[in-house]
Amino acid sequence: MGVATDHVVESFRNDLYPGYKTSEGVAAPLLSQFPVLEEALASMGVVVWPMVRYEADDALASAARKASQDARVEQVIICTPDKDLAQCVSGSRVVQLDRRREILRDEAGVIAKWGVRPESIPDYLAVVGDSADGFPGLPGWGAKAAALTFAEYLHLEHVPKDWRRWPSAIRGAQRLAAVLFEQWDDARLYRTLATLALDVPVFETVDELEWKGPAVGFEQYSRKLGAPELYARALEPIPHG
């Protein structure tokens, strides 16, 4: 088990695109909770990856990829509903958990939700945009057109410049093609912003992620937080199956 945090909201993506999300406008009480969260997790005995140059999503993507390469690992579960992380899903080996809605998505689930394979998620976001991350996508491109396009063509580079070769189900193909190729550089930039890094140094082996119970002092730390029940919950048996 490992938890990634945006220790600093800004990342290398802010150097690539001025409009990318920043900490501006985020309430100070919310920002002040990040170091408390990281401290609490460490006290609970959980491995924490506080990101500064990268984002938390990059750490999760890197950890999922590295863990999936270990033959001892039966399944990797990425615990977030964010569509960015859907690009990391692989078959049923690397899956995505929306814990609040109790939805577990494998590769078929990603296709059912967004209409494209996991590896096309960055291309999909490049044209649709991502308001949470601060890039707009391309004018006129909606979720349906993007899904139909990248279900047929895996990546931007595979999309024919001649709109007449596009699937007939894509409405307004001539207009969409004109926008895509007129704003090609923007589309590629947005895809870069949406593509998660897979080389963040998170751990050497998955053995480092084994949770061995709370660290010494966690009971006292729970009281300090005003949540003594956290200590009791940390001692509960972990359900299997």
Side-chain angles (χ1 to χ4, degrees):
M1 177 167 55
V3 177
T5 66
D6 287 317
H7 187 75
V8 175
V9 174
E10 289 75 14
S11 69
F12 74 92
R13 292 178 177 85
N14 294 92
D15 298 332
L16 300 175
Y17 182 64
Y20 200 73
K21 66 180 178 182
T22 69
S23 57
E24 184 178 355
V26 180
L30 179 59
L31 287 174
S32 68
Q33 291 179 37
F34 282 94
V36 177
L37 169 65
E38 293 162 3
E39 189 178 65
L41 287 166
S43 180
M44 197 174 76
V46 176
V47 173
V48 184
W49 303 306
M51 293 293 102
V52 176
R53 177 66 178 163
Y54 294 94
E55 295 180 53
D57 285 356
D58 296 310
L60 293 176
S62 298
R65 180 175 182 268
K66 191 171 182 67
S68 69
Q69 294 172 340
D70 192 315
R72 297 172 297 167
V73 174
E74 294 180 9
Q75 188 178 57
V76 178
I77 302 176
I78 306 173
C79 299
T80 172
D82 290 357
K83 54 183 172 292
D84 311 53
L85 271 300
Q87 66 190 266
C88 303
V89 172
S90 177
S92 58
R93 180 164 178 73
V94 180
V95 297
Q96 188 177 19
L97 174 64
D98 183 338
R99 187 169 176 268
R100 187 173 60 181
R101 296 182 177 88
E102 298 184 343
I103 298 173
L104 189 69
R105 288 194 181 95
D106 57 8
E107 189 162 337
V110 169
I111 295 172
K113 173 66 175 177
W114 290 287
V116 299
R117 294 170 60 183
E119 53 263 55
S120 295
I121 289 290
D123 302 83
Y124 172 95
L125 292 174
V127 298
V128 172
D130 191 335
S131 58
D133 285 339
F135 60 90
L138 303 184
W141 278 86
K144 185 175 181 180
L148 289 170
T149 300
F150 295 110
E152 181 75 18
Y153 309 108
L154 201 60
H155 298 299
L156 288 167
E157 290 80 4
H158 301 157
V159 179
K161 289 189 175 182
D162 184 351
W163 63 271
R164 288 166 293 193
R165 294 172 53 197
W166 290 22
S168 59
I170 302 176
R171 297 181 61 183
Q174 183 175 9
R175 174 179 50 84
L176 293 175
V179 170
L180 175 60
F181 294 106
E182 286 170 6
Q183 302 187 28
W184 182 252
D185 289 343
D186 287 340
R188 293 188 64 189
L189 171 60
Y190 299 152
R191 182 178 62 181
T192 297
L193 298 176
T195 301
L196 299 179
L198 298 175
D199 57 354
V200 177
V202 281
F203 57 84
E204 290 296 324
T205 73
V206 292
D207 301 291
E208 299 170 34
L209 305 184
E210 182 183 359
W211 187 66
K212 299 177 180 178
V216 175
F218 182 60
E219 182 177 12
Q220 181 179 355
Y221 191 86
S222 298
R223 293 198 188 100
K224 175 184 174 183
L225 288 178
E229 70 277 5
L230 290 177
Y231 178 71
R233 287 179 61 188
L235 298 181
E236 292 176 0
I238 298 176
H240 295 279

